[in-house]
């Protein structure tokens, strides 16, 4: 029965999110990211694998945000590739990937937008100790992460988005190989 369930999920994903010329709905594709309901009791015999590719090809919903400098922006104002980074200060893997985010933001055609759960004051204090953080940071991102995008993944999570607003990669903590892939994709 488990294999049948996986087959049906993959079939639905294929129909939902990979039809050429179709603009797959982010929220429909989101349903295929995990194979369980968060409110279910834990079952040790069950596969709780998260499908990080479930959103590839879907269009990121537009949302507005206010960055650390107080500027109000819209996600769809972007004309470059964007890396949406979801994180919080108490997350060691999130902090560990900051050099990769700085590097990606230094590329001419990639804009890093880092959406944090933390408040403006705590983030400002943190940034004072790290002079190299030069990418855009959005404080108090809980509404974006949980409501606007309903992001189901752990932290950190990164959505790589093309200039048309389509998600072309979803990553957890960035590795050198993933950073190289992002740079390659942004130069194609």
């Amino acid at each position: 029965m488990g294999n049948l369930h996986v087959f049906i999920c993959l079939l639905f994903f294929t129909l939902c999110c990979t039809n050429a010329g179709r603009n797959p709905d982010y929220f429909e594709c989101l349903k295929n990211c995990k194979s369980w309901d968060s409110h279910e009791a834990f079952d040790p015999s069950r596969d709780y694998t998260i499908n990080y590719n479930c959103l590839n090809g879907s269009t990121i919903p537009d949302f507005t945000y206010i960055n650390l400098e107080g500027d109000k922006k819209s996600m769809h104002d972007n004309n470059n590739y964007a890396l949406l980074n979801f994180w919080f200060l108490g997350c060691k893997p999130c902090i560990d990937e900051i050099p990769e985010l700085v590097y990606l933001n230094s590329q001419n055609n990639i804009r890093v937008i880092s959406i944090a759960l933390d408040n403006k004051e705590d983030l400002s204090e943190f940034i004072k100790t790290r002079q190299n953080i030069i990418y855009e940071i959005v404080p108090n991102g809980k509404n974006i992460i949980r409501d606007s995008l309903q992001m189901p993944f752990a932290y950190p999570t990164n959505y790589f988005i093309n200039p048309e607003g389509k998600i072309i990669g979803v990553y957890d903590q960035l590795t050198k190989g993933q950073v190289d892939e992002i740079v390659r994709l942004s130069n194609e």
Side-chain angles (χ1 to χ4, degrees):
M1 184 67 175
N3 288 339
L4 178 61
H5 182 258
V6 170
F7 174 75
I8 291 170
C9 287
L10 288 173
L11 178 63
F12 182 77
F13 169 75
T14 302
L15 293 174
C16 167
C17 299
T18 60
N19 288 339
R22 187 165 179 254
N23 186 10
D25 180 70
Y26 173 88
F27 296 104
E28 283 300 314
C29 292
L30 192 65
K31 293 176 185 175
N32 297 307
C33 292
K34 59 184 185 175
S35 61
W36 73 95
D37 183 337
S38 304
H39 303 291
E40 292 178 7
F42 177 74
D43 177 358
S45 67
R46 193 141 179 222
D47 179 14
Y48 288 95
T49 304
I50 294 177
N51 175 6
Y52 281 96
N53 295 318
C54 61
L55 296 175
N56 287 355
S58 66
T59 301
I60 189 85
D62 197 15
F63 58 88
T64 57
Y65 60 90
I66 299 174
N67 65 20
L68 208 52
E69 290 75 35
D71 300 324
K72 186 174 183 177
K73 297 188 176 184
S74 169
M75 179 58 213
H76 285 204
D77 289 344
N78 185 38
N79 291 326
N80 289 325
Y81 286 87
L83 184 83
L84 276 184
N85 167 252
F86 305 101
W87 70 296
F88 63 98
L89 289 172
C91 168
K92 183 176 177 351
C94 300
I95 304 303
D96 290 346
E97 76 175 359
I98 288 175
E100 285 79 8
L101 298 172
V102 170
Y103 173 75
L104 287 170
N105 196 69
S106 73
Q107 304 301 301
N108 289 333
N109 56 348
I110 300 174
R111 182 178 84 168
V112 173
I113 305 166
S114 187
I115 302 175
L117 292 176
D118 307 283
N119 66 46
K120 182 177 181 175
E121 295 76 25
D122 291 344
L123 289 167
S124 295
E125 281 300 312
F126 175 77
I127 290 170
K128 285 180 188 176
T129 66
R130 298 183 181 266
Q131 302 301 321
N132 65 339
I133 299 178
I134 54 170
Y135 49 83
E136 191 166 33
I137 296 178
V138 179
N140 304 312
K142 179 180 177 182
N143 289 340
I144 295 169
I145 294 169
R146 295 192 181 142
D147 299 334
S148 297
L149 296 177
Q150 300 173 15
M151 202 236 356
F153 307 118
Y155 296 93
T157 292
N158 298 279
Y159 289 3
F160 187 49
I161 302 161
N162 72 13
E164 291 78 39
K166 292 199 181 296
I167 297 172
I168 56 175
V170 178
Y171 310 94
D172 53 8
Q173 184 179 2
L174 293 170
T175 64
K176 179 173 179 356
Q178 291 168 333
V179 169
D180 292 344
E181 176 185 14
I182 289 168
V183 170
R184 180 185 57 75
L185 288 170
S186 71
N187 288 318
E188 288 183 348

